[in-house]
Amino acid sequence: MALRLLIFRAASASVERSSACRCQTPNRSTLDAVGEWFTVLTPDPTGWGQQITGPWPLRIESLPAEHADSCGLRSGGALLVRPDGHIAARWQDRPSGDSALYDALVSISGYR
């Protein structure tokens, strides 16, 4: 599936703590998950956590299924949220390759 770059603000929804999540507080708003880093919101944080490489500050947050559905995400999909809270990329389902997240971050930031 092709990368879709989007320019929308992330809406508030509840996120859950997962083993792949580096967050401190369970069951908080997605707006609380965004900060001075890129954030991946996904129902599959373990799968997306394996794709992390590069110079970007990045956090992977678990997105409950009911919120993933409202974002049009399937079980392997994800949203990449910029530090300013705008959604930078959206994958409805898991991309076939392992470089999708890296490629999106390079495209957005210009860094390799």
Side-chain angles (χ1 to χ4, degrees), residues 50-71:
Q50 296 170 355
Q51 292 194 28
I52 300 173
T53 58
W56 310 277
L58 180 70
R59 291 192 180 178
I60 310 292
E61 300 282 349
S62 179
L63 187 65
E66 63 269 15
H67 300 306
D69 288 344
S70 68
C71 295

Side-chain angles (χ1 to χ4, degrees), residues 4-80:
R4 290 183 175 179
L5 294 178
L6 307 172
I7 308 289
F8 296 104
R9 292 281 290 179
S12 179
S14 168
V15 293
E16 298 173 346
R17 187 171 185 199
S18 73
S19 59
C21 174
R22 296 183 201 136
C23 57
Q24 301 293 325
T25 309
N27 301 322
R28 64 192 203 289
S29 166
T30 53
L31 299 178
D32 295 332
V34 176
E36 296 178 7
W37 50 82
F38 288 94
T39 305
V40 175
L41 299 171
T42 177
D44 179 24
T46 305
W48 283 90
Q50 296 170 355
Q51 292 194 28
I52 300 173
T53 58
W56 310 277
L58 180 70
R59 291 192 180 178
I60 310 292
E61 300 282 349
S62 179
L63 187 65
E66 63 269 15
H67 300 306
D69 288 344
S70 68
C71 295
L73 303 179
R74 297 186 184 110
S75 62
L79 297 173
L80 174 61

